[in-house]
Structures are given as C-alpha cells and as structure tokens.
Amino acid sequence: FTSSDGLSSIISVTNFVTTFEPEPEPEPEPEPEPEPEPEPEPEPEPEPEPEPEPEPEPEPEPEPEPEPEAESTINGLLIDGYISGANGGLYDVNDLNTAIETFVTDSHGKYEIYTPIEDLPDVYTIKFSGGTDIATGETVTTELTSSASKSEAQVSGSTTLNVTPITSLVTKVLTKTSGTINTSDLQSSISVITAVFNITEDELEKDFIQEGNANVTKLVTQIETTSKSLTAAIHDSNVTQEVVLDSIINQIIESNDNNTVVDFADSTNIT
C-alpha cells in the first residue's frame, strides 16, 4: 500500500476503527421482583368436638319385694304369771316324746307355731318347761301344757291356745285315758275340768290375767300353792310337784265321778 489512495484508505479505516465506539451493553433488565408468596391461609381452628352426651343413668332396679312373713298357725301365751324364756314343743298327744316343732316364749310369754294345719295330729299337745315368771322373777319348775284338736284349727284357720296351770290339768286328765286318744277323749277331759272347778270352757281358754278373771286367778293360785306346800310337807325327794299334781288329778277325776266340785282351800280334798 504505497499509493496515496491506499494510504488514505488505511487512514480512513484507521480513523474509522479509532472513532468507532462500541454500543453500550444494554442495561440488564431488572429481574422482576418475585411475586410475594401468598401468606398462608390460617389453619382453620378445629371445630370443638361436641360434648359427649351423658350416658343416661341406668334405671334403678326395683327393690325385690320382701318375702311375706310366714304366719303362725297356732299362737298364745304361757301363763302362771306370764312366763318368758320357756322351752316349748308341739307333740302328738299319743307320742309325747317326739317333738314336731320346738319354740321359746318371748319376753312377754308369747309363743308361735308354724306347722301347717294339715300336718297337725288329730289331737296335739303343747308342752313347756322352765322359763321365768316375769311378775315374780322366779324360775318355773313345773311342766305346763295345753291340748287341742286339729279339727278346731281347721275351722278357724288359726288357733289361739293359752297354756296355764288349768289347761295343764286337762292334759293330765286326757293322758290317763287308756288306748289311743282321740278328739272325743279331749272333749271329755275338758268337761271334767270345767265341771269340777265350776268354770266355763271359754274361761278355761282365756288369758285370765288380761281378762281380770278373779275366779280363774284364784284357782291358779290355789293349785300352785297346794302343790308347792304339799311337796314341801312330805319331805321325800321322790315326791315332786309333778307327783303332787298327779295326785290332785286323781282327786279331780273322783270328784267328777261323784259330781262334786273341788275346793283347794279345803285341804281334806287333797289326799
């Protein structure tokens, strides 16, 4: 390149090169601001669990009805005064060694028997021993009895049978019967005692203390006083009050045969 044109061209190119300024790099576009992350929606508060419905209280079971108390078929009082704590037994009058039922009088002298009426012997006897006379505090030493019939209990459905020194005499007369004792023998024995002492059958069976029956009270006192005084007077350990009472029964039976009344106030009546 020696020509002037050539030099001019070089100069021109050089000038061009010299004068060419590169285009400025474009400003980088600002990165877009990131979209703000949406705030998380608040967790919904859990709905409160519903209160559990209270379980219904169970219906109370009905109380079982109490068993009905058994009703006695025979009841009564043991009387000289009223005698508490005496040991008693129900017997067939034809077998006075085998008790059908046993029982004890309460603090007022009352007893109760629960043997069903249909199981009673045709003629039965109630026997008592021991106990305390609540009026005097004395221990009773004699056996006291009363006898009655099944047929009488069947008619009434239940029987009140008081046991006294006088009803005991009925049993003593009855047990002197020979052979098997029946209801007819019982009625005869009751008739003997009511005739000899000049009392009614109703008076024989009643609670003479509650009734205030002076006549029967006097008889009971005379029987007891006589049997005790004779026992004490004989001075023989074999002669007990029971033996004396048996002697009295013999006199009673004799008096009945002679249609006479026994007066225990007259000591000549007792042999």
Side-chain angles (χ1 to χ4, degrees):
F1 301 99
T2 56
S3 70
S4 59
D5 288 338
L7 181 61
S8 299
S9 296
I10 290 168
I11 293 168
S12 297
V13 170
T14 302
N15 287 338
F16 175 78
V17 172
T18 310
T19 60
F20 175 75
E21 291 180 1
E23 285 192 19
E25 288 185 8
E27 292 278 332
E29 284 188 9
E31 289 193 11
E33 288 187 7
E35 291 278 334
E37 287 187 10
E39 287 199 11
E41 288 188 9
E43 291 281 333
E45 286 187 9
E47 295 219 358
E49 289 188 8
E51 290 281 330
E53 287 189 11
E55 290 202 7
E57 289 188 6
E59 289 284 327
E61 287 188 9
E63 294 263 336
E65 290 191 7
E67 290 286 326
E69 287 187 12
E71 290 188 4
S72 61
T73 49
I74 305 168
N75 63 74
L77 293 163
L78 179 59
I79 315 169
D80 193 339
Y82 298 116
I83 301 170
S84 67
N87 295 307
L90 169 68
Y91 298 84
D92 185 326
V93 74
N94 292 294
D95 179 8
L96 293 173
N97 295 315
T98 308
I100 299 165
E101 181 180 339
T102 58
F103 35 86
V104 178
T105 57
D106 68 13
S107 58
H108 303 289
K110 184 177 181 180
Y111 74 91
E112 291 182 302
I113 295 174
Y114 296 91
T115 298
I117 290 173
E118 59 270 19
D119 294 338
L120 292 173
D122 288 339
V123 179
Y124 59 89
T125 295
I126 297 167
K127 291 198 301 181
F128 282 102
S129 61
T132 303
D133 186 326
I134 64 176
T136 63
E138 292 182 2
T139 299
V140 178
T141 57
T142 55
E143 183 177 81
L144 294 170
T145 65
S146 188
S147 298
S149 67
K150 175 180 180 175
S151 56
E152 184 182 351
Q154 286 172 322
V155 169
S156 61
S158 67
T159 297
T160 297
L161 193 63
N162 295 319
V163 180
T164 72
I166 298 179
T167 63
S168 301
L169 297 180
V170 172
T171 302
K172 284 186 176 295
V173 172
L174 180 62
T175 53
K176 288 187 177 291
T177 305
S178 56
T180 302
I181 297 169
N182 56 37
T183 52
S184 165
D185 297 321
L186 172 63
Q187 196 54 53
S188 295
S189 300
I190 291 170
S191 297
V192 167
I193 295 301
T194 54
V196 165
F197 289 120
N198 194 28
I199 59 174
T200 66
E201 190 171 332
D202 188 55
E203 286 178 309
L204 174 72
E205 295 172 350
K206 287 290 179 68
D207 175 355
F208 58 88
I209 296 175
Q210 185 181 38
E211 296 281 319
N213 189 319
N215 185 34
V216 174
T217 301
K218 179 183 173 185
L219 280 172
V220 167
T221 303
Q222 286 177 341
I223 291 167
E224 187 169 352
T225 303
T226 302
S227 61
K228 280 183 176 178
S229 60
L230 286 174
T231 303
I234 292 171
H235 301 298
D236 184 339
S237 59
N238 293 318
V239 179
T240 64
Q241 208 170 338
E242 288 296 331
V243 171
V244 171
L245 285 169
D246 277 337
S247 176
I248 289 172
I249 287 301
N250 293 332
Q251 180 64 38
I252 286 172
I253 292 171
E254 186 181 330
S255 296
N256 182 67
D257 292 341
N258 297 330
N259 294 318
T260 58
V261 173
V262 172
D263 179 6
F264 284 105
D266 182 356
S267 60
T268 62
N269 284 326
I270 308 301
T271 58

